[in-house]
Amino acid sequence: MSRALERARSLLDRPGAWLDQSGAAYPLRLGGDRRGRVVLTLDEAAFRALVERPGLRRRDGGGWLPRPTPAANTSLTPSPPAGRPGLIEGERPVMEADGRLTCRRANLGESPVAWLARRKDASGRPWLSAAEVAAGERLRTEAEIALSGPSLTMRWDALPRAGGGSSARVEPTDRALSASARVEAALGACGPRLRALVEQVCIHGTSLQLAEQHLFLRRRQGKTLLKQGLQALAEHYRIG
């Protein structure tokens, strides 16, 4: 994938180059619209790598453009909402319960947990363990499924709840309801002391600093509480 990825990065430097989306694939087109020639088709992994570098921004009319370099004029580049680093609002293919492939709104950028995973402690070791990162990202993915389309900024208590009883017929909302129940169980495993912070960072994509302000925590207190919450999540998911 590295050769195709480097070629994609090089092609995106050309005038008129942009990324389209077709199902689970991402065609790279040269031209002003969808009649432009497809010169390369990327998968989800390569797309996420481009989100990391050079960074992507939404294109008028759909698709993505590379973010301008620091030397370029960035006055027209939309900034992520305050406190939500790495936010790229877009759509991700999701398989519905009846087998249909649809697109749901999602954050295609880097999550706060993924950003924190690159931070080091005083000894130069990763601040978060691999199990803690995997647990936080799993909760984020489950929440995206449960949200079934609305923005990740909506309140978690607005999500559908799984009701009692059973039905032999599979309803279109069963997948979201099941994911909602799993998220609720995972948040419950964190306990009331840690739940609010885990919810803010992992589900709403709020930066750790802003989450501390929202929850009236002392500066850097959230760092300790979040790590404890991710450890509880990893234990709940039996990761590590």
Side-chain angles (χ1 to χ4, degrees):
M1 184 187 75
S2 59
R3 182 175 298 178
L5 182 58
E6 290 309 313
R7 185 179 177 217
R9 286 174 174 144
S10 176
L11 288 169
L12 283 172
D13 286 336
R14 297 186 183 183
W18 60 286
L19 272 178
D20 197 0
Q21 182 174 9
S22 177
Y26 298 88
L28 195 156
R29 297 182 182 275
L30 293 178
D33 54 32
R34 285 186 168 83
R35 291 174 295 183
R37 181 167 59 97
V38 175
V39 293
L40 194 64
T41 300
L42 304 172
D43 59 14
E44 181 73 19
F47 175 78
R48 288 183 175 275
L50 291 176
V51 169
E52 286 282 335
R53 183 170 66 87
L56 300 175
R57 58 188 174 92
R58 294 294 294 179
R59 170 183 173 274
D60 292 340
W64 297 268
L65 293 169
R67 288 191 180 278
T69 61
N73 180 6
T74 59
S75 61
L76 300 179
T77 303
S79 300
R84 301 192 66 197
L87 174 68
I88 297 180
E89 291 187 350
E91 294 182 339
R92 181 175 295 131
V94 173
M95 186 69 72
E96 301 290 357
D98 60 2
R100 291 180 300 109
L101 185 66
T102 59
C103 288
R104 301 292 190 185
R105 290 181 61 188
N107 178 13
L108 302 178
E110 183 181 46
S111 71
V113 171
W115 185 85
L116 289 168
R118 299 203 308 272
R119 305 304 101 179
K120 308 289 185 180
D121 63 16
S123 302
R125 296 171 298 185
W127 177 64
L128 294 178
S129 70
E132 291 161 358
V133 174
E137 292 296 85
R138 177 168 174 178
L139 179 63
R140 178 174 77 116
T141 301
E142 294 276 31
E144 286 185 3
I145 296 172
L147 285 165
S148 296
S151 168
L152 293 177
T153 58
M154 72 179 291
R155 292 176 53 191
W156 174 246
D157 56 20
L159 291 176
R161 303 294 183 185
S166 61
S167 174
R169 188 163 65 92
V170 176
E171 298 291 342
T173 57
D174 281 355
R175 189 170 187 268
L177 288 170
S178 179
S180 176
R182 291 194 298 272
V183 172
E184 188 62 35
L187 290 173
C190 296
R193 178 168 168 266
L194 306 174
R195 171 181 175 136
L197 184 62
V198 170
E199 181 180 329
Q200 284 282 323
V201 174
C202 295
I203 295 180
H204 300 307
T206 305
S207 70
L208 183 56
Q209 182 179 3
L210 193 62
E212 286 177 330
Q213 297 174 14
H214 286 169
L215 300 173
F216 303 102
L217 299 174
R218 297 189 307 274
R219 190 168 182 267
R220 300 191 182 282
Q221 182 184 7
K223 192 173 182 180
T224 300
L225 294 179
L226 178 63
K227 188 171 179 67
Q228 293 174 357
L230 293 175
Q231 288 171 349
L233 275 182
E235 183 176 347
H236 171 74
Y237 288 132
R238 298 181 181 179
I239 300 174

